[in-house]
């Protein structure tokens, strides 16, 4: 949608919003969009921040899974 808006000269989604969506778990879709329609794939400053947000999202997910596994029910005690 953002790329279409850019082509049409309409208001675009801010990079901050795109990064927040990625941080909230939408990074796989963002990665596909970058590969399939080459959206935000060549802007180095965005790529650095995007990769940091992906790493933070993955780290947070792993931390949640680790914490959950410590409190999970185990029939073996």
């Amino acid at each position: 949608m953002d790329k279409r808006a850019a082509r049409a000269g309409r208001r675009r989604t801010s990079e901050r919003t795109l990064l927040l969506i990625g941080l909230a778990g939408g990074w796989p879709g963002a990665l596909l969009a970058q590969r399939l329609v080459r959206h935000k794939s060549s802007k180095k400053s965005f790529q650095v921040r995007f990769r940091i947000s992906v790493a933070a999202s993955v780290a947070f997910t792993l931390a949640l899974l680790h914490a959950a596994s410590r409190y999970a029910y185990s029939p073996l005690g």
Side-chain angles (χ1 to χ4, degrees), residues 69-77:
S69 71
R70 294 184 65 190
Y71 298 105
Y73 171 76
S74 173
L76 301 177

Side-chain angles (χ1 to χ4, degrees), residues 55-69:
S57 179
V58 170
F60 181 72
T61 301
L62 291 175
L64 280 177
L65 290 172
H66 177 70
S69 71

Side-chain angles (χ1 to χ4, degrees), residues 23 47-57:
L23 185 62
Q47 283 299 309
V48 168
R49 292 181 291 158
F50 175 71
R51 290 174 186 191
I52 290 170
S53 73
V54 169
S57 179

Side-chain angles (χ1 to χ4, degrees), residues 1-74:
M1 289 179 5
D2 190 52
K3 193 155 186 145
R4 272 186 261 143
R7 288 184 188 140
R10 294 189 318 261
R11 185 170 180 214
R12 300 182 63 188
T13 305
S14 72
E15 286 186 359
R16 180 180 180 188
T17 300
L18 293 172
L19 290 168
L20 286 173
I21 291 169
L23 185 62
W27 63 265
L31 193 58
L32 279 173
Q34 288 176 20
R35 300 293 182 254
L36 295 176
V37 296
R38 301 194 47 78
H39 185 64
K40 295 286 187 187
S41 60
S42 62
K43 189 172 182 184
K44 293 288 184 194
S45 62
F46 180 82
Q47 283 299 309
V48 168
R49 292 181 291 158
F50 175 71
R51 290 174 186 191
I52 290 170
S53 73
V54 169
S57 179
V58 170
F60 181 72
T61 301
L62 291 175
L64 280 177
L65 290 172
H66 177 70
S69 71
R70 294 184 65 190
Y71 298 105
Y73 171 76
S74 173

